Amino acid sequence: NAGVMQNPRHLVRRRGQEARLRCSPMKGHSHVYWYRQLPEEGLKFMVYLQKENIIDESGMPKERFSAEFPKEGPSILRIQQVVRGDSAAYFCASSPIGQGSNQPQHFGDGTRLSIL
Amino acid sequence: GQQVMQIPQYQHVQEGEDFTTYCNSSTTLSNIQWYKQRPGGHPVFLIQLVKSGEVKKQKRLTFQFGEAKKNSSLHITATQTTDVGTYFCASPLQGAQKLVFGQGTRLTINP
């Protein structure tokens, strides 16, 4: 079974550009979580999605950030008009069912976003 | 809101020494999960504890869940250089389907 696939692994953007991060969950997993990790810090929850639904976006900034998980294709985390403070590692994780059922999460390799 | 506090933030040991990281919460946790993240890598699930007072072992790693289900620990006996990384505890947020992660303990080892 392929694991959680994220691309690109590294992304460089200039201030004001848009960044699009992709995540394909593990086969059979329909729940996707996005986290942000700053250097030397922990994982901060951003958003939890199921197919075609945003379940919890309480950790996502209200402006410039959006996420989707369409019926077909990968989940996308989109950051518009990037600023230097957006530089971080963005991890995607998936699980077969929600955490309410105590399932561990499987993480992708992450996308390291650098803003020039 | 619910938080999971993890200490210490950093730990440097000599190879062969033991290592322990602790997680504490002010609220009762339904379960606690432990993850390891190697430098430059991604978090990898290690184990999940569910029952009060539960103790699980994986070779040199011992995981404990407190009787009140408000704290947990990870103990590594006789560390090796392969143990280097950051260890995170995590627990489902009450009433929500998302994980709350501790701040992590970064373990470095002097060979």
Side-chain angles (χ1 to χ4, degrees), chain A residues 99-100 102, chain B residues 1-6 22-34 48-54 64-73 88-96 98-102:
Chain A
Q99 286 304 311
N102 300 329
Chain B
Q2 177 181 322
Q3 286 189 337
V4 178
M5 305 303 295
Q6 189 173 356
Y22 302 89
C23 277
N24 294 285
S25 173
S26 58
T27 60
T28 302
L29 305 172
S30 60
N31 71 75
I32 192 136
Q33 302 175 17
W34 286 91
Q48 178 175 273
L49 305 171
V50 180
K51 299 176 183 175
S52 168
E54 190 170 13
Q64 293 189 338
F65 202 9
E67 293 289 341
K69 299 182 72 174
K70 290 185 176 182
N71 58 77
S72 181
S73 65
F88 293 98
C89 60
S91 188
L93 183 66
Q94 278 186 348
K98 64 184 182 185
L99 283 178
V100 174
F101 280 80

Side-chain angles (χ1 to χ4, degrees), chain A residues 9 31 33 35 37 40-43 45 48 50 55-56 58 91 98-100 102-105 107-109 112, chain B residues 9-10 30-31 33 35 37 40-45 48 50 88 92-93 96-99 101-104 106:
Chain A
R9 290 289 305 275
H31 297 246
Y33 307 81
Y35 296 88
Q37 186 176 40
E40 309 283 324
E41 293 192 9
L43 292 150
F45 167 82
Y48 161 42
Q50 296 178 19
I55 307 302
D56 185 341
S58 59
F91 288 98
Q99 286 304 311
N102 300 329
Q103 294 295 315
Q105 294 185 357
F107 283 80
D109 288 335
R112 271 74 178 172
Chain B
Q9 188 174 359
Y10 301 97
S30 60
N31 71 75
Q33 302 175 17
Y35 293 78
Q37 184 177 22
H42 62 275
V44 175
F45 173 77
Q48 178 175 273
V50 180
F88 293 98
L93 183 66
Q97 293 183 337
K98 64 184 182 185
L99 283 178
F101 280 80
Q103 299 92 323
R106 184 179 175 191

Side-chain angles (χ1 to χ4, degrees), chain B residues 11-26:
Chain B
Q11 185 79 59
H12 180 75
V13 301
Q14 291 289 127
E15 188 174 14
E17 291 183 336
D18 293 356
F19 159 77
T20 306
T21 173
Y22 302 89
C23 277
N24 294 285
S25 173
S26 58

Side-chain angles (χ1 to χ4, degrees), chain A residues 5 11-12 15-16 18-19 23 25 29 31-32 34 46 50 66 72 78 85 91-92 97-98 100 116:
Chain A
M5 304 299 292
L11 182 61
V12 179
R15 282 178 296 171
E18 177 181 288
C23 169
H29 288 193
H31 297 246
V32 167
W34 285 93
M46 297 182 73
Q50 296 178 19
S66 62
E72 302 290 338
R78 182 181 177 206
F91 288 98
C92 169
I97 48 181
L116 301 180

Side-chain angles (χ1 to χ4, degrees), chain B residues 54-67:
Chain B
E54 190 170 13
V55 177
K56 287 188 177 180
K57 293 191 175 185
Q58 289 179 350
K59 297 182 181 178
R60 294 177 294 102
L61 277 61
T62 301
F63 304 84
Q64 293 189 338
F65 202 9
E67 293 289 341

